[in-house]
Amino acid sequence: RKEVEQDPGPFNVPEGATVAFNCTYSNSASQSFFWYRQDCRKEPKLLMSVYSSGNEDGRFTAQLNRASQYISLLIRDSKLSDSATYLCVVNQDTGRRALTFGSGTRLQVQP
Amino acid sequence: GAGVSQSPSNKVTEKGKDVELRCDPISGHTALYWYRQSLGQGLEFLIYFQGNSAPDKSGLPSDRFSAERTGGSVSTLTIQRTQQEDSAVYLCASSFSWGVYQETQYFGPGTRLLVL
């Protein structure tokens, strides 16, 4: 089983749609969670951290479910500029001082 | 301010040659990470440096891979006797520090390595 699993997609949605991605992680001791965005042939950039109580940043909402070991990202009112790959990222707290990245979910917003 | 920079941006080499990839982290960032990303894949952790502590090399795939960080700043990733499976984008990231909760990592643009 992969340490961090995501549906690779692609998710093809029309502009204005609401889309949600889930991600599961294997290590229950994981401490912190993030969503990164990666545009084609570009480096990953932090989109938002994910807090236990859930958090919102404009059109983006992140949720954490520790019991089921998954995190989610909801994008409302999708824009063409949201087209990218969304990477689920976990700090597994295994002593390795680096993040574990999922393979990403590709989103394509269509006009 | 300046972000993380990497050089070269692209590197084409022949199988069996050695390559050196360079990373300049954000000034003041004590933590530096190397990852690689193969086509269509997620990021694979390679090595981590934190201040003057011994680096975490647990992600290096073979002894052909090594990295140094001089003066707590610039880092060089060296791949000896390159193989075709080494072809990937090599990404460097830095963060201000590392604590119980991971500090945000800022990525450089990467070096695209192609081994022929």
Side-chain angles (χ1 to χ4, degrees):
Chain A
R1 182 185 173 189
K2 287 184 180 178
E3 295 168 307
V4 179
E5 290 206 62
Q6 295 182 252
D7 181 342
F11 284 59
N12 296 304
V13 302
E15 271 187 289
T18 295
V19 61
F21 311 134
N22 285 338
C23 160
T24 58
Y25 59 94
S26 61
N27 185 347
S28 59
S30 298
Q31 293 272 359
S32 44
F33 311 87
F34 310 87
W35 284 101
Y36 276 68
R37 170 190 169 134
Q38 186 172 26
D39 292 288
C40 188
R41 298 181 67 80
K42 297 286 189 181
E43 71 273 22
K45 293 185 179 177
L46 179 68
L47 178 65
M48 58 196 304
S49 301
V50 186
Y51 302 123
S52 296
S53 55
N55 48 300
E56 190 174 306
D57 183 2
R59 297 181 294 107
F60 298 84
T61 301
Q63 296 278 354
L64 168 64
N65 185 320
R66 285 191 184 272
S68 300
Q69 293 180 209
Y70 79 81
I71 67 174
S72 64
L73 177 67
L74 181 78
I75 305 175
R76 290 182 299 279
D77 188 24
S78 300
K79 312 290 185 192
L80 294 176
S81 57
D82 294 335
S83 297
T85 296
Y86 291 83
L87 304 172
C88 174
V89 186
V90 175
N91 167 13
Q92 295 204 81
D93 192 32
T94 58
R96 169 184 294 178
R97 301 190 171 217
L99 301 172
T100 302
F101 286 75
S103 299
T105 297
R106 188 163 153 244
L107 172 66
Q108 184 67 48
V109 181
Q110 296 162 335
Chain B
V4 178
S5 61
Q6 292 185 245
S7 61
S9 54
N10 291 281
K11 177 72 177 178
V12 181
T13 190
E14 293 179 349
K15 178 181 172 181
K17 296 283 178 73
D18 297 352
V19 296
E20 279 191 358
L21 314 179
R22 177 187 166 106
C23 171
D24 277 280
I26 293 172
S27 178
H29 280 191
T30 62
L32 185 148
Y33 314 78
W34 282 99
Y35 297 87
R36 74 176 174 182
Q37 187 173 31
S38 301
L39 189 63
Q41 301 297 311
L43 275 70
E44 175 189 3
F45 166 74
L46 297 177
I47 188 169
Y48 157 81
F49 296 90
Q50 169 62 49
N52 296 321
S53 302
D56 176 353
K57 303 179 183 180
S58 60
L60 295 178
S62 78
D63 59 9
R64 296 187 295 105
F65 288 72
S66 62
E68 291 184 339
R69 189 179 184 193
T70 54
S73 181
V74 171
S75 176
T76 302
L77 177 69
T78 301
I79 309 173
Q80 296 178 308
R81 304 181 302 281
T82 52
Q83 303 295 313
Q84 288 180 332
E85 60 263 29
D86 298 336
S87 298
V89 177
Y90 288 81
L91 289 156
C92 175
S94 71
S95 64
F96 182 68
S97 66
W98 196 96
V100 175
Y101 295 100
Q102 180 73 51
E103 294 276 351
T104 298
Q105 292 186 16
Y106 297 87
F107 284 83
T111 294
R112 283 172 177 75
L113 174 66
L114 178 61
V115 182
L116 300 176

